[in-house]
Amino acid sequence: MPTVATVRGPVDTAALGRTYMHEHVFVLTPDVQQNFPEEWGDEQARQDDAVAKLSALAASGVRTIVDLTVIGLGRYIPRIQQVAERVPDLNIVVATGCYTYQDVPFFFHYRSPEIRTLLGMDEPEPMVPMFVRDITDGIAGTGVRAGMLKCAIDEPGLTPGVERVMRAVARTHLATGCPITVHTHPGTHQGLSVQQVMVEEGVDPGRVVLGHSGDSTDVDHLSRLADAGFWLGMDRFGIHLDATLESRADTVVELCRRGFADRMVLSHDAACYLDWIGPEVEPFIADWNYLHIQTAVLPYLREHGVTERQISAMLVDNPRRFFEGD
Ligand SMILES: [Zn+2]
């Protein structure tokens, strides 16, 4: 029976149930938080708030979320373990990798493949053994193993830093079998750069979710990537800055009409707490929460001809198939 690593241990893929493939629990900037902790405030209150939000999500019928918080986004697994223990009906899959749109973090800047090769070190890319260890041994002594790899490419494109992380993620995938999510910027067709690197590295597109595909309404572009075998992450429902509920959902409707219900996964990219956004902005992003798909998106999809079978594919069958690597 294939399993997926979660915070509380391995779960059979058949038991993942309704799964949101791109969420977060906490997104933090650790050195700002360590020095300016006022907004975070009371640790217990923050954890209680997260338990309440995740419990409401579980009560809506969702059994599993993938928390794509990696290096660069403030991953801290002991806190996630404490929260997960209090939400027993929800599986949380955590991730390893590195999130940057430009350069590698300075930790890696001088630990470069060039210098390590000059020094005759066996593994030129230090990220690879770090990511492998997160997947095979567990993260930072917690025993929690990562079940997903994550990297990013945004408007700046395939910068040297972005390419370095992406190739490290690809090579970790080949060493471990752990699947990949890439944060992409579909408006500038960055999925094509992902395709180029993954093909060069020998990664099967069927093991890769192109995250944030749903930020684009360019259905022809998304269809080409799905035809190439990638999974399309329609995973920012509730963010209505450049998009609306209707524009995001209409893209899913059209992709379903074209036969791609078995290539899409749905999510919000929401968090219980994200320190990138001040509390003064919260009234403008009220729909960006874990319940928006259930309360607003699914009714819209049904009204516009998406069938129960297609909804179940996007929420249940596709995440299972993705993790099983079929
Ligand atoms: Zn995200």
Side-chain angles (χ1 to χ4, degrees), residues 4 16-24 62 64-68 93 95 147-148 150 179-181 207-209 211 231-235 264-269 293 313-316 318-323:
V4 180
L16 291 173
R18 188 175 280 207
T19 300
Y20 287 163
M21 290 286 281
H22 190 139
E23 304 291 349
H24 299 271
V62 171
T64 304
I65 61 168
V66 183
D67 176 357
L68 289 173
V93 177
M148 182 81 86
K150 159 106 175 269
I180 300 169
T181 296
R207 303 310 313 280
V208 181
V209 177
W231 297 90
L232 302 177
M234 315 305 280
D235 52 18
M264 287 186 279
V265 291
L266 308 182
S267 214
H268 306 93
D269 199 14
I293 288 175
M314 294 186 282
L315 291 176
V316 181
N318 295 352
R320 193 198 71 231
R321 290 170 53 215
F322 172 74
F323 280 110

Side-chain angles (χ1 to χ4, degrees), residues 37-80:
E38 307 79 27
E39 190 186 293
W40 172 261
D42 180 60
E43 172 73 23
Q44 193 59 47
R46 285 287 172 207
Q47 289 199 21
D48 291 349
D49 176 63
V51 167
K53 288 171 176 164
L54 293 169
S55 298
L57 169 63
S60 80
V62 171
R63 289 279 78 84
T64 304
I65 61 168
V66 183
D67 176 357
L68 289 173
T69 308
V70 295
I71 300 304
L73 296 172
R75 186 183 74 177
Y76 183 57
I77 297 299
R79 180 179 284 131
I80 303 299

Side-chain angles (χ1 to χ4, degrees), residues 15-285:
L16 291 173
R18 188 175 280 207
T19 300
Y20 287 163
M21 290 286 281
H22 190 139
E23 304 291 349
H24 299 271
V25 180
F26 301 111
V27 176
L28 298 169
T29 314
D31 52 358
V32 176
Q33 290 292 342
Q34 283 159 15
N35 291 287
F36 304 91
E38 307 79 27
E39 190 186 293
W40 172 261
D42 180 60
E43 172 73 23
Q44 193 59 47
R46 285 287 172 207
Q47 289 199 21
D48 291 349
D49 176 63
V51 167
K53 288 171 176 164
L54 293 169
S55 298
L57 169 63
S60 80
V62 171
R63 289 279 78 84
T64 304
I65 61 168
V66 183
D67 176 357
L68 289 173
T69 308
V70 295
I71 300 304
L73 296 172
R75 186 183 74 177
Y76 183 57
I77 297 299
R79 180 179 284 131
I80 303 299
Q81 284 180 293
Q82 290 181 346
V83 169
E85 285 306 320
R86 297 172 60 196
V87 192
D89 294 335
L90 185 73
N91 304 308
I92 303 177
V93 177
V94 299
T96 188
C98 182
Y99 185 87
T100 179
Y101 299 169
Q102 297 269 9
D103 301 323
V104 294
F106 272 105
F107 181 91
F108 297 110
H109 186 81
Y110 294 106
R111 297 165 205 245
S112 68
E114 294 76 15
I115 290 173
R116 288 165 63 93
T117 300
L118 270 178
L119 295 173
M121 298 174 77
D122 287 342
E123 170 53 66
E125 177 50 77
M127 288 181 233
V128 171
M130 293 167 77
F131 298 163
V132 167
R133 199 173 61 208
D134 278 357
I135 293 161
T136 57
D137 297 348
I139 298 167
T142 60
V144 174
R145 294 189 294 119
M148 182 81 86
L149 281 153
K150 159 106 175 269
C151 59
I153 182 167
D154 207 271
E155 275 191 282
L158 198 64
T159 67
V162 163
E163 182 172 356
R164 196 179 145 190
V165 175
M166 197 176 291
R167 291 191 188 279
V169 161
R171 289 171 50 209
T172 305
H173 162 74
L174 294 175
T176 62
C178 185
I180 300 169
T181 296
V182 186
H183 160 116
T184 66
H185 188 271
T188 50
H189 291 193
Q190 298 300 341
L192 299 174
S193 300
V194 178
Q195 184 177 22
Q196 176 207 323
V197 171
M198 292 302 168
V199 167
E200 281 176 16
E201 294 288 340
V203 175
D204 173 1
R207 303 310 313 280
V208 181
V209 177
L210 296 176
H212 311 329
S213 292
D215 285 356
S216 173
T217 56
D218 184 345
V219 177
D220 290 338
H221 171 63
L222 297 177
S223 298
R224 275 194 294 277
L225 294 167
D227 275 332
F230 289 101
W231 297 90
L232 302 177
M234 315 305 280
D235 52 18
R236 277 181 161 170
F237 279 107
I239 303 182
H240 298 148
L241 300 173
D242 303 326
T244 62
L245 163 64
E246 291 76 14
S247 71
R248 289 184 186 279
D250 286 343
T251 305
V252 173
V253 170
E254 175 58 16
L255 284 165
C256 283
R257 199 189 63 76
R258 294 189 185 193
F260 292 113
D262 62 355
R263 281 284 119 192
M264 287 186 279
V265 291
L266 308 182
S267 214
H268 306 93
D269 199 14
C272 297
Y273 179 80
L274 163 87
D275 74 8
W276 297 10
I277 293 171
E280 64 282 0
V281 179
E282 276 168 21
F284 301 98
I285 49 169

